[in-house]
């Protein structure tokens, strides 16, 4: 599918920029961080995440989206807390910043055929949530 790269990347860029443009004011009002892409970096547009203020806020946010039939997911488990990491001696508290960020990250729906109408529903649902 290398031939379709530009088309796919264009769709993903549109989805990413739609989230960014439509959520920036809400995020600022609710102390939520959106992705920051430094000017000297290329953007891959492979996901759109948000960093909520607390684990409790993230849990409530995910529950709010789920109640509106929208799936959002955690971003990642810190490697030192994975099964393999624990087998090699990783423990909670070893990487407090990583753990704190991991507890607050959430990924929004993001796939190539996400329609603007579907994305508008996601944004509208997010805008109805207060942290």
């Amino acid at each position: 599918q290398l031939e379709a790269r530009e088309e796919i990347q264009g769709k993903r860029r549109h989805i990413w920029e739609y989230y960014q443009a439509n959520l920036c004011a809400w995020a600022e009002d609710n102390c939520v961080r959106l992705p920051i892409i430094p000017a000297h970096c290329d953007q891959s547009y492979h996901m759109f995440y948000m960093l909520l203020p607390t684990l409790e806020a993230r849990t409530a946010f995910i529950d709010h989206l789920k109640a509106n039939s929208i799936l959002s997911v955690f971003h990642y488990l810190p490697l030192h807390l994975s099964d393999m990491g624990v087998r090699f001696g990783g423990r909670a508290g070893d990487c407090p910043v990583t753990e704190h960020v991991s507890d607050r990250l959430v990924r929004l729906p993001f796939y190539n055929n996400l329609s603007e109408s579907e994305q508008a529903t996601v944004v509208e649902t997010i805008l109805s949530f207060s942290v």
Side-chain angles (χ1 to χ4, degrees):
Q1 292 284 349
L2 190 55
E3 300 81 27
R5 182 194 179 284
E6 293 301 320
E7 179 184 351
I8 292 168
Q9 192 66 354
K11 288 178 184 179
R12 296 174 73 77
R13 178 182 183 151
H14 180 74
I15 292 167
W16 197 95
E17 289 177 348
Y18 186 94
Y19 278 138
Q20 183 73 25
N22 288 282
L23 294 174
C24 64
W26 173 87
E28 188 173 325
D29 290 345
N30 286 277
C31 299
V32 173
R33 288 207 34 207
L34 300 183
I36 299 168
I37 311 302
H40 65 280
C41 294
D42 289 334
Q43 168 62 287
S44 64
Y45 304 109
H46 73 289
M47 72 170 153
F48 193 93
Y49 68 88
M50 300 189 317
L51 186 61
L52 280 86
T54 64
L55 173 59
E56 295 76 21
R58 183 187 74 178
T59 301
F61 178 79
I62 290 172
D63 289 346
H64 173 74
L65 293 180
K66 185 177 180 180
N68 288 278
S69 302
I70 298 169
L71 177 65
S72 59
V73 295
F74 310 153
H75 179 64
Y76 72 98
L77 171 67
L79 292 178
H80 70 287
L81 297 179
S82 69
D83 290 343
M84 181 65 74
V86 170
R87 281 195 291 175
F88 282 103
R91 294 182 313 273
D94 283 351
C95 300
V97 174
T98 299
E99 293 167 30
H100 186 58
V101 170
S102 174
D103 283 348
R104 299 180 301 139
L105 272 172
V106 63
R107 288 173 38 191
L108 298 184
F110 198 103
Y111 46 92
N112 292 346
N113 60 350
L114 181 65
S115 72
E116 195 162 308
S117 173
E118 291 169 325
Q119 197 175 15
T121 299
V122 172
V123 167
E124 184 178 308
T125 304
I126 292 170
L127 296 179
S128 71
F129 181 82
S130 293
V131 176

